[in-house]
Amino acid sequence: MPHECDACGETFTTLSRLRLHDCPAEGSENQDPLSSFDGFLDSISESLETDMQRNAREREKRGLEAASETLKTDLEAAAQGDVDAAFRFVAQYERELREYHDAEDYDTYRGIFWAFYESGAETLDEIATREGWDFLADLVNAYPPDGADDEPLASPVIENAVGRHIIRVRLRDGVQAVPVEALAYLGSFWESMGGTSGEESFTYGWGIDHPDHSVADHIHDVVTDELFWVRGVLPHTFYADQHAAADLLEALLTDERIDYEDRYLLAAILATVDHDSTPKIPRYWDLREELDYRVEWDETVRTRLRETIKTEGFHERLPANWTFSDMEV
């Protein structure tokens, strides 16, 4: 008589074959439910990422279709090294962004913005690498930020190139060689948090310990007004100089003008530094790949910061054997 598996329903001619068969139902029952749930989350994440990539492609396609031939031609010429074309490109980019933004056609505005962002930033950076700071200084002076409500819409591509310049100069020639104007420019975007220009200005942190421009003082001045901009800048101070950055962070964590919970949020940037030895800003640029630059903790700095975290009581909400990565929020 046939023998049926109660779990999967398959039938076998002998009990031996029944006992030895590889039952798919039993495998499912024995599977770690957490592992299954993790797989479910991964599938959702992959699906969302695919959707986001598709939406980004469609958005940029709309932007390329809406953009003028003048904008495309100027970018192409600038990419060949034409400095005058680079200035024309930024002017035309600003003009077309402003046109669609003011008309409240935000889909087209975003389409043009993102369609030319990466290529525009890389083109400006390539010219700046050849021409030096003077080229970027002319752009900074031509498109100064006049507050978050009236800043040039092309600012992020300029900030991106300025940020790359600051990082390269600091690593090559030291912080004293970083142009003060570059730091003042990026530092002025602290009110723009929530927008791309606010994020691109995070490289301001690479000016930490500059002899003629105090990044630390500026951060102290704005921290109670724009905490999240400061949180974005602080990891870059550690990428640049972890000793000077530790001095700054310790001063912030013990500053009673700042709400206690906000001070914990400031301390939590150590998780970002612990996870990522290279920054994600400027966009479209891999510091590790180009300059082979990585950050490794100095144990004296790590110990100092752990002691400060304990003194302020932040460790009480962390696991017993906590690390900086456990502070992620």
Side-chain angles (χ1 to χ4, degrees):
M1 62 176 287
H3 302 276
E4 182 176 336
C5 174
D6 293 334
C8 68
E10 190 174 352
T11 58
F12 300 89
T13 57
T14 67
L15 282 172
S16 296
R17 290 185 178 180
L18 170 62
R19 294 190 187 104
L20 295 173
H21 86 287
D22 187 11
C23 179
E26 288 181 358
S28 175
E29 290 174 0
N30 293 332
Q31 186 176 13
D32 181 354
L34 290 177
S35 174
S36 177
F37 184 64
D38 287 344
F40 172 66
L41 291 180
D42 287 343
S43 69
I44 291 178
S45 178
E46 290 173 4
S47 177
L48 288 173
E49 185 174 351
T50 300
D51 289 344
M52 290 173 64
Q53 290 173 346
R54 182 175 62 252
N55 292 338
R57 287 194 298 270
E58 292 174 355
R59 178 186 63 197
E60 292 181 14
K61 181 181 178 182
R62 288 196 304 270
L64 288 170
E65 291 172 349
S68 69
E69 286 303 315
T70 299
L71 182 60
K72 299 171 188 176
T73 301
D74 286 340
L75 177 58
E76 183 177 353
Q80 298 300 315
D82 187 330
V83 175
D84 291 338
F87 286 111
R88 293 198 303 272
F89 161 71
V90 176
Q92 187 66 24
Y93 188 47
E94 174 70 23
R95 190 175 300 118
E96 295 186 26
L97 290 175
R98 182 63 61 186
E99 175 187 347
Y100 288 105
H101 185 276
D102 290 352
E104 299 183 359
D105 184 351
Y106 297 121
D107 283 344
T108 304
Y109 160 74
R110 284 188 287 268
I112 292 176
F113 178 84
W114 289 106
F116 292 88
Y117 191 169
E118 180 175 4
S119 54
E122 289 182 349
T123 295
L124 297 184
D125 177 53
E126 288 173 4
I127 294 176
T129 300
R130 187 184 70 244
E131 299 291 325
W133 168 247
D134 287 347
F135 167 71
L136 292 174
D138 286 342
L139 285 172
V140 166
N141 291 329
Y143 299 93
D146 295 320
D149 296 331
D150 195 32
E151 69 186 35
L153 298 176
S155 292
V157 296
I158 301 173
E159 292 173 81
N160 184 290
V162 170
R164 298 188 200 196
H165 181 80
I166 288 173
I167 294 170
R168 286 197 193 99
V169 169
R170 174 163 192 146
L171 294 180
R172 184 185 66 229
D173 303 321
V175 64
Q176 73 283 350
V178 173
V180 170
E181 297 88 344
L183 296 175
Y185 172 69
L186 292 182
S188 65
F189 286 96
W190 66 273
E191 294 180 287
S192 302
M193 193 57 209
T196 310
S197 57
E199 294 172 357
E200 283 289 3
S201 69
F202 290 165
T203 47
Y204 176 69
W206 283 83
I208 187 74
D209 219 24
H210 194 287
D212 300 315
H213 180 97
S214 179
V215 167
D217 285 352
H218 184 46
I219 285 178
H220 275 288
D221 288 343
V222 305
V223 64
T224 55
D225 293 315
E226 192 45 81
L227 179 80
F228 288 95
W229 183 77
V230 171
R231 289 191 77 239
V233 170
L234 283 174
H236 290 263
T237 67
F238 278 91
Y239 301 140
D241 181 341
Q242 59 184 291
H243 294 274
D247 290 341
L248 170 59
L249 184 58
E250 285 181 335
L252 292 170
L253 298 185
T254 56
D255 186 345
E256 294 186 357
R257 293 182 308 123
I258 306 170
D259 180 80
Y260 184 80
E261 289 300 320
D262 288 347
R263 279 186 275 157
Y264 182 84
L265 290 175
L266 293 173
I269 64 94
L270 293 170
T272 300
V273 180
D274 216 31
H275 289 320
D276 302 316
S277 63
T278 54
K280 301 297 186 292
I281 298 290
R283 284 179 172 83
Y284 313 118
W285 188 53
D286 191 333
L287 172 61
R288 178 182 297 178
E289 180 178 314
E290 179 179 318
L291 302 176
D292 192 26
Y293 182 75
R294 291 167 174 79
V295 176
E296 294 184 3
W297 283 109
D298 182 316
E299 286 305 317
T300 61
V301 171
R302 193 199 300 267
T303 300
R304 280 176 56 196
L305 292 170
R306 285 182 64 89
E307 289 302 316
T308 301
I309 289 166
K310 290 179 182 178
T311 299
E312 297 303 313
F314 299 139
H315 68 295
E316 294 175 2
R317 61 184 74 184
L318 300 173
N321 296 318
W322 62 274
T323 67
F324 291 153
S325 294
D326 293 315
M327 301 187 72
E328 187 170 20
V329 293

